[in-house]
Amino acid sequence: DAASHSCKGKKTKRNCAMHEPAGSAYVYKIYGIYHCFNITSRGEGSAVLIRALDPLSGVEEMSTLRSIKRKDGGAKLKVKDLCSGPSKLCEAFSINKEEHNFCDLVNSDLIWVEEKEHVPEENIITTKRVGIEGAGKPWCDMPLRFYVYGNKSVSVRDRQTEKLRLSDPSGAAS
């Protein structure tokens, strides 16, 4: 995957957390100030970027954390926008490289992943990723981004794929 930090087996000081066992946190900075949170997955150097979350609890604390860097002090911040992007999510949960990189997301007391409700496959939208055009083709056009249809916290929706999914709930059209 030409968009991956571990493309062609590359292992550096920055991305070495990607080479940890599946279920580990890989946190990195972009533009020198914002963080992105990934979960390592199957395969050497594999990880999944968590682009958005739907806040279920802790909304007041997330609002406070997201308001710190905002010029308006968070006055215009909506719940659906608290975690509607990779760096917004990290701000809302106070996820940073220094504390969370390499964390075992199964056994950590600091940050962890829990099973919640099952999402039926027909409700999962599969589309191309966002912001990786520089990786070139075919990688920038591959359907390697997934989100739950109707989730209000998704920042960039693929309306065309959603329309196709609604006309063919089996997913054969997507």
Side-chain angles (χ1 to χ4, degrees), residues 1-43:
D1 180 350
S4 173
H5 292 176
S6 63
C7 181
K8 298 180 183 175
K10 183 168 87 173
K11 190 172 184 178
T12 65
K13 184 178 177 185
R14 178 189 191 206
N15 78 357
C16 59
M18 285 183 81
H19 298 271
E20 291 294 300
S24 300
Y26 167 45
V27 183
Y28 62 90
K29 282 186 176 180
I30 57 171
Y31 310 118
I33 54 172
Y34 298 111
H35 289 92
C36 289
F37 170 62
N38 298 255
I39 300 175
T40 59
S41 56
R42 290 183 283 175

Side-chain angles (χ1 to χ4, degrees), residues 13-135:
K13 184 178 177 185
R14 178 189 191 206
N15 78 357
C16 59
M18 285 183 81
H19 298 271
E20 291 294 300
S24 300
Y26 167 45
V27 183
Y28 62 90
K29 282 186 176 180
I30 57 171
Y31 310 118
I33 54 172
Y34 298 111
H35 289 92
C36 289
F37 170 62
N38 298 255
I39 300 175
T40 59
S41 56
R42 290 183 283 175
E44 178 70 19
S46 297
V48 176
L49 172 65
I50 308 302
R51 288 196 56 85
L53 289 175
D54 196 14
L56 299 177
S57 63
V59 170
E60 191 173 309
E61 185 175 356
M62 287 182 211
S63 290
T64 299
L65 290 166
R66 282 291 321 284
S67 298
I68 294 169
K69 295 180 182 177
R70 294 176 58 96
K71 291 179 183 176
D72 68 358
K76 297 178 183 175
L77 193 58
K78 298 175 183 167
V79 173
K80 72 177 187 71
D81 297 325
L82 289 174
C83 302
S84 64
S87 294
K88 292 177 182 181
L89 179 156
C90 287
E91 280 185 0
F93 280 88
S94 198
I95 295 172
N96 61 70
K97 182 176 182 171
E98 297 73 26
E99 291 180 274
H100 300 97
N101 202 29
F102 292 98
C103 277
D104 176 342
L105 300 172
V106 176
N107 298 307
S108 173
D109 290 329
L110 184 61
I111 184 172
W112 61 90
V113 176
E114 294 181 0
E115 239 181 271
K116 193 62 179 159
E117 63 192 55
H118 171 76
V119 177
E121 193 170 326
E122 60 269 13
N123 290 352
I124 298 174
I125 301 297
T126 304
T127 186
K128 66 182 188 175
R129 294 175 288 178
V130 175
I132 63 156
E133 293 76 18

Side-chain angles (χ1 to χ4, degrees), residues 118-126 146-150 161-174:
H118 171 76
V119 177
E121 193 170 326
E122 60 269 13
N123 290 352
I124 298 174
I125 301 297
T126 304
F146 309 92
Y147 65 88
V148 177
Y149 175 74
T161 299
E162 289 178 4
K163 190 175 180 180
L164 287 170
R165 176 53 63 103
L166 287 174
S167 66
D168 179 13
S170 72
S174 49

